[in-house]
Amino acid sequence: MRTIAVLTGTRADYGLLRGLLREIEAHAELELQLIVTGTHLSEAFGRTASEIERDGLAVAASVPIWSGSDDALGAAADVGAAIPRYAQVLARLAPDVLVVLGDRLEAYAAATAATILSVPVAHIHGGELTEGAMDDALRHAITKMSYLHFTSTADHRRRVIQLGEAPERVYFHGAPIVDALAALDLLPRAEVERRFGVRLPARTALVTFHPAAMDVAPPEQLVGEMLAALRAVDDLHIIITGSNSDIGTADVRARIADFVAENPTRVDYVESFGQLGYLSAMHAASVVVGNSSSTVLEAPVLGVPSVLIGDRQRGRPLAESIATPRSNRAAIEGAVRAALDRPATAGGTDIFGSPGFAARVARTLADHEIPRPPRKTFHDLERNVSP
């Protein structure tokens, strides 16, 4: 048996990892060790570990890491404190592989701890670009600490190889969201309304906004422009979901709370829908607005028009259904109005591969030779120019 530790720190990555967790559980040659951390364990962010509990997945370790501070100094201190906590858990569990997804600070800290302990790391969603956030640097750093790579597009695979990773260790297995959408039986509109206490009239915007330290403007300014634009579309109902625990989240959450309180007849707020609820609400919505990765991934796959705010997702592949207005209220308002008039087109992009991501990754985790320690050599690209 090969033991596979999988780290989940947010509602978003858990939704993407759920299928893989089930696949590892069912695989005859793999044993799952689930590590729950990050905002899953925070009451302020909806304690989304309850969703894992409802799914019946056994948790090998729960690792609280966030102090509650949302400034850069506090985040840096939290990451520094998280590394030895993850190291202690990894030393106890002694997994053969640690799987991390994406680019968040908890993934970076866990990959750092694993690297120091010579635990091989497998990284999902490497090679991507988000130039408006520090996540870009964190993601590439995790790539260099990882032995196996599971990318969501062929271009992302090429970029991981460009970073010096050997092609035989870099797999284009597609995006996990494609599996999730293929497996989910989305809730009907009326059930979403009943279960979450929201309203979903014909013209509804589903909104998620996360602060990004390197965006085109301070996050409180961007969220202010976005909310003003949404309010200007007077026949639009608005459903807003909770922001991540990123640097600057307190100011963003305060502005959103004020907006919800000032517009009770037009705005609903849901801290966390969970994956099924969120994608069901998205499918029923007329437009998706914000700077979440779901604006550029899930929305196009579902065929729902979206309006991307700021530079947080800059560098990701963008489907034709995604509008990228300038970051002022007039431009955002115009983009939202245009999106509302655009017909939905299911299956907006196929660059993220076909269903079967979880099975492909589980098979690779079971079959690929993984040395201990995970020693690797830098893969140089062919020289195209003279010195």
Side-chain angles (χ1 to χ4, degrees):
M1 295 285 285
R2 181 174 277 180
T3 55
I4 309 297
V6 182
L7 184 88
T8 177
T10 71
R11 66 194 185 197
D13 71 42
Y14 177 66
L16 298 177
L17 289 167
R18 183 190 280 111
L20 177 59
L21 298 174
R22 294 296 192 198
E23 198 73 31
I24 294 171
E25 268 195 329
H27 199 288
E29 299 173 22
L30 299 176
E31 178 183 345
L32 175 65
Q33 298 174 324
L34 181 58
I35 302 173
V36 178
T37 187
T39 56
H40 279 310
L41 305 176
S42 169
E43 295 293 342
F45 292 88
R47 197 187 172 276
T48 48
S50 59
E51 186 176 349
I52 300 171
E53 295 162 2
R54 287 194 298 271
D55 286 344
L57 287 162
V59 175
S62 294
V63 188
I65 60 170
W66 297 131
S67 65
S69 172
D70 79 325
D71 61 20
L73 184 60
D78 286 346
V79 169
I83 292 172
R85 293 177 190 174
Y86 289 137
Q88 290 167 0
V89 166
L90 292 171
R92 174 171 63 83
L93 296 178
D96 293 304
V97 181
L98 170 67
V99 177
V100 299
L101 182 148
D103 46 45
R104 288 185 54 78
L105 287 169
E106 54 264 38
Y108 171 78
T112 300
T115 299
I116 294 169
L117 295 179
S118 293
V119 175
V121 178
H123 186 207
I124 300 170
H125 273 300
E128 303 183 8
L129 299 179
T130 50
E131 296 173 3
M134 72 170 67
D135 301 350
D136 210 41
L138 298 175
R139 185 185 311 105
H140 299 327
I142 295 169
T143 288
K144 293 311 302 175
M145 291 189 282
S146 299
Y147 188 82
L148 288 176
H149 309 272
F150 307 129
T151 70
S152 61
T153 74
D155 277 348
H156 297 153
R157 178 178 184 270
R158 175 190 56 77
R159 194 172 287 130
V160 169
I161 294 168
Q162 182 180 334
L163 286 167
E165 298 301 295
E168 63 269 20
R169 294 186 284 103
V170 188
Y171 293 84
F172 165 37
H173 281 334
I177 188 60
V178 177
D179 268 17
L181 289 170
L184 284 178
D185 186 10
L186 296 178
L187 303 173
R189 181 185 299 263
E191 178 61 15
V192 176
E193 291 179 320
R194 185 195 67 79
R195 187 176 297 191
F196 298 100
V198 298
R199 295 154 287 181
L200 275 165
R203 288 163 70 86
T204 297
L206 181 64
V207 181
T208 306
F209 183 91
H210 305 302
M214 300 179 184
D215 217 325
V216 292
E220 62 273 17
Q221 177 182 332
L222 278 179
V223 75
E225 293 296 298
M226 179 189 74
L227 294 175
L230 290 168
R231 182 161 43 198
V233 185
D234 54 15
D235 57 346
L236 180 67
H237 188 72
I238 304 160
I239 299 175
I240 305 177
T241 70
S243 301
N244 280 342
S245 60
D246 296 313
I247 296 168
T249 195
D251 286 341
V252 167
R253 283 176 164 264
R255 285 177 178 261
I256 289 174
D258 289 344
F259 184 77
V260 174
E262 293 164 2
N263 300 275
T265 62
R266 293 189 55 196
V267 183
D268 294 316
Y269 180 84
V270 177
E271 180 61 46
S272 176
F273 275 105
Q275 186 186 56
L276 176 60
Y278 183 67
L279 293 176
S280 298
M282 180 179 292
H283 189 251
S286 314
V287 61
V288 176
V289 182
N291 64 1
S292 162
S293 60
S294 62
T295 310
V296 301
L297 181 53
E298 286 94 328
V301 172
L302 284 173
V304 181
S306 57
V307 177
L308 180 59
I309 308 299
D311 277 354
R312 187 172 187 265
Q313 302 299 333
R314 184 176 180 179
R316 290 194 189 274
L318 300 182
E320 292 182 2
S321 60
I322 304 168
T324 56
R326 293 172 63 86
S327 299
N328 62 72
R329 63 191 67 190
I332 297 170
E333 178 190 347
V336 171
R337 291 187 182 277
L340 290 168
D341 293 334
R342 189 181 308 140
T345 53
T349 179
D350 60 0
I351 64 171
F352 297 108
S354 59
F357 163 86
R360 291 188 288 270
V361 168
R363 186 162 56 248
T364 302
L365 289 171
D367 295 345
H368 194 102
E369 183 178 350
I370 304 175
R372 293 291 295 266
R375 182 177 176 180
K376 59 185 186 180
T377 58
F378 193 95
H379 176 77
D380 279 311
L381 299 180
E382 293 183 7
R383 295 178 183 271
N384 295 318
V385 295
S386 300

